[in-house]
């Protein structure tokens, strides 16, 4: 899998807006809760990397 997944943050001067980007193309807008869920899933998956290196 060579897709690059990113979260782009922009602001209108008052509040941030988050967008899910795949290979430079906007897929959808994210709410704060959805953003937090993605971050927690990514952080949780890092434990498998450290367990495989043991």
């Amino acid at each position: 899998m060579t897709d690059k997944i990113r979260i782009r943050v922009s602001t209108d001067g008052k509040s941030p807006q988050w967008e899910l980007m795949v290979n430079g193309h906007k897929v959808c807008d994210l709410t704060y809760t959805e953003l937090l869920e993605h971050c927690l899933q990514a952080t949780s998956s890092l434990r498998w990397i450290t367990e495989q290196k043991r």
Side-chain angles (χ1 to χ4, degrees), residues 26-44:
K26 179 180 172 182
V27 176
C28 65
D29 291 321
L30 297 172
T31 65
Y32 178 77
T33 305
E34 292 169 331
L35 175 68
L36 191 56
E37 287 176 356
H38 283 288
C39 292
L40 291 172
Q41 287 176 354
T43 304
S44 176

Side-chain angles (χ1 to χ4, degrees), residues 10 23 32:
S10 60
N23 289 331
Y32 178 77

Side-chain angles (χ1 to χ4, degrees), residues 7 9 11-14 16 22 30 34 36 41 46-47 49:
I7 304 294
V9 181
T11 181
D12 60 1
K14 293 183 180 181
V22 177
L30 297 172
E34 292 169 331
L36 191 56
Q41 287 176 354
L46 292 175
R47 70 177 183 196
I49 294 171

